Amino acid sequence: MNKVFEKINSLGFLKGLFIFVFAVRFLQSLCMLKHGDALYYHLVGGRYWVETSLLEMTESFHPFFLAGLFDYLYVIPNFIFGPTLLTQLAGQNMHFLFSMGLGALILFNYFKGSKWAYIAPLLVLTISKSQDFFLYAKNDGVVASLGLLAALLIAQKDFLPNLKSWGRVFCIGILLGLLPAVKMYGLFASAALGLVFIFHNKKAWKEILLVGALALLTWSPILIRNYIYLETPIFPGLLNKFPGNLTPGMIAYLTNSLNASTGFMEVLAHFKAAFMGKVLFLSAPILFVLNLKFKKSGNSFFSLVLLYMFFYAGLNGGWIFDRYYFVCYFWLSFFIIKSLTQYELKAWAVPLLIVLILADGRVDYGITKTIKTFKLYASAKDEREIVRKISKFTEFWDYVKPNSYIISDRASEIFYAPSGVRMHNYTESREAEFLYRCTEDDIHELSPYSYALIERSIDNPCYDLIRKKGKLLHKVFNYKLYSLKEE
């Protein structure tokens, strides 16, 4: 096997393949992607911060409470480029570099000096399930890369050997706090990692207490922000127990989404989400059993996946997203390669492994997407043409005047709206709470709004006024934009 491996690598194949796949993903992150949340609040918070102030943005833009610490970094491209396509592309590239990019770098560094240094990163670069969520200007992939780094520091003492013991403890504590601070569901990863850290350091109670204190301190800016403005520190979790000062409409929407119950079918769905990020991940349970039988190392990473699933399914069983399992995909990527390095493989094993990694890696999709999008960049006469062609929802902003207010019953991609435009959405804004429960006495609350962007067909006085007296300006799919003011 080693001779075959050496022959493959002597041609520079593995190194070239790694560079090629990384380049495809890098270029793919520079293709404008249409995605509601990225253009509804992830990038918008930074835009409003630049246009007004951090305090004003925090007080007035309620959807941004769904964001975490990483999203505040999007103020940088907003400050440089303003609310433009370049800002979106910079945001997408930032997310890619701190998710797939950082994960690949971590794995390369761990296996550095061996041929596996080029194979291990391919697993995280070719995750097939919800792959675009590593490229949107969001934050899910950051949870994955930070979770991988924390796991290696906890369970692999040979990783970063120059890091002194207390320095390692300090880094672990910071990382366990960053996970929920970046995205609140990162708390599931922190809980799993915390248990594994305690298992590996049973008698080191000082280190355990320090890690806990540092994690809480690092998480605290988000907890304090949420408590001051929402009176519910771990928003949007456990709203059925800690509703804070959210409106009934906001609580109903988020509770239905984030606190679903767990049944047998939901448990099966969790297993599917956890182990189907790539076909190769299905080998993990087999490797786990073999490792136990032959007393091989690395099983802590498989245990982390099971622990994460236990916390996720126990607290939020019926609302399952593949992207919430990204951190498990990174753990499984390391676990599989680490396990394989401990066995004598047949001559055909490595070529087969590479084929399996690439089989569902969607590299061909990335190449096609890049070519198609860059052709559009070259042929379009301006940025507006690119944005409108890729995201039809941005067409609404051709009909909206600057410095105006919009009431909505669904989120929309407001990042590209004219200057000074603000939208209040029923599911995330207190100001729009009246829309669903509207009576004749509530009609006057429509007066501040120049436009209504609605998707639902509800019978109440406010909806009746919007449909009957408002002027229909534009329609995209089921979404309709009405003018509420006379021209």
Side-chain angles (χ1 to χ4, degrees), residues 126-338:
T126 59
I127 287 170
S128 56
K129 281 293 186 77
S130 299
Q131 188 181 92
D132 283 350
F133 278 88
F134 287 102
L135 306 174
Y136 298 136
K138 288 171 63 68
N139 52 26
D140 299 285
V142 181
V143 174
S145 59
L146 295 181
L148 174 62
L149 180 57
L152 285 170
L153 288 173
I154 291 171
Q156 299 293 312
K157 301 300 183 182
D158 56 341
F159 180 65
L160 302 181
N162 294 328
L163 193 61
K164 303 301 181 183
S165 59
W166 283 104
R168 182 177 293 267
V169 169
F170 183 86
C171 290
I172 292 170
I174 296 296
L175 288 168
L176 296 196
L178 279 176
L179 287 168
V182 168
K183 192 80 170 182
M184 196 59 73
Y185 72 77
L187 185 59
F188 302 147
S190 292
L193 288 162
L195 288 178
V196 171
F197 179 79
I198 293 172
F199 176 80
H200 283 279
N201 301 272
K202 300 181 186 69
K203 298 179 180 180
W205 60 270
K206 289 183 180 179
E207 287 85 345
I208 294 172
L209 289 176
L210 180 59
V211 164
L214 287 170
L216 185 60
L217 183 64
T218 307
W219 187 20
S220 64
I222 296 298
L223 295 175
I224 293 170
R225 180 200 68 175
N226 291 349
Y227 180 76
I228 291 175
Y229 292 99
L230 304 177
E231 298 178 9
T232 175
I234 58 173
F235 173 86
L238 300 179
L239 293 181
N240 53 346
K241 294 181 174 61
F242 307 103
N245 59 19
L246 275 66
T247 66
M250 296 163 74
I251 293 172
Y253 172 73
L254 292 169
T255 300
N256 290 338
S257 300
L258 299 173
N259 294 285
S261 60
T262 305
F264 178 73
M265 295 306 296
E266 285 76 21
V267 171
L268 290 180
H270 274 282
F271 272 97
K272 181 180 178 182
F275 290 98
M276 287 296 289
K278 284 185 67 65
V279 170
L280 190 61
F281 291 166
L282 293 174
S283 67
I286 300 172
L287 288 170
F288 177 70
V289 173
L290 290 175
N291 289 348
L292 288 176
K293 180 178 180 180
F294 296 107
K295 298 182 180 180
K296 303 296 184 180
S297 63
N299 279 352
S300 292
F301 285 77
F302 189 85
S303 301
L304 281 170
V305 176
L306 298 181
L307 286 170
Y308 182 95
M309 192 186 310
F310 172 78
F311 289 120
Y312 184 176
L315 293 175
N316 188 17
W319 190 249
I320 305 166
F321 288 116
D322 296 323
R323 58 193 171 95
Y324 287 3
Y325 274 101
F326 279 173
V327 66
C328 294
Y329 298 166
F330 279 33
W331 290 336
L332 289 173
S333 296
F334 174 82
F335 169 73
I336 290 170
I337 300 302
K338 177 66 174 178

Side-chain angles (χ1 to χ4, degrees), residues 396-437:
F396 286 126
W397 311 131
D398 293 335
Y399 303 88
V400 172
K401 293 181 179 180
N403 302 311
S404 55
Y405 281 83
I406 306 171
I407 190 166
S408 175
D409 60 9
R410 287 280 188 175
S412 188
E413 299 166 5
I414 198 171
F415 176 71
Y416 288 104
S419 175
V421 170
R422 296 292 184 268
M423 181 170 66
H424 294 154
N425 175 28
Y426 167 77
T427 57
E428 282 106 12
S429 300
R430 295 187 183 92
E431 295 89 344
E433 165 68 14
F434 71 93
L435 187 60
Y436 279 13
R437 59 166 174 75

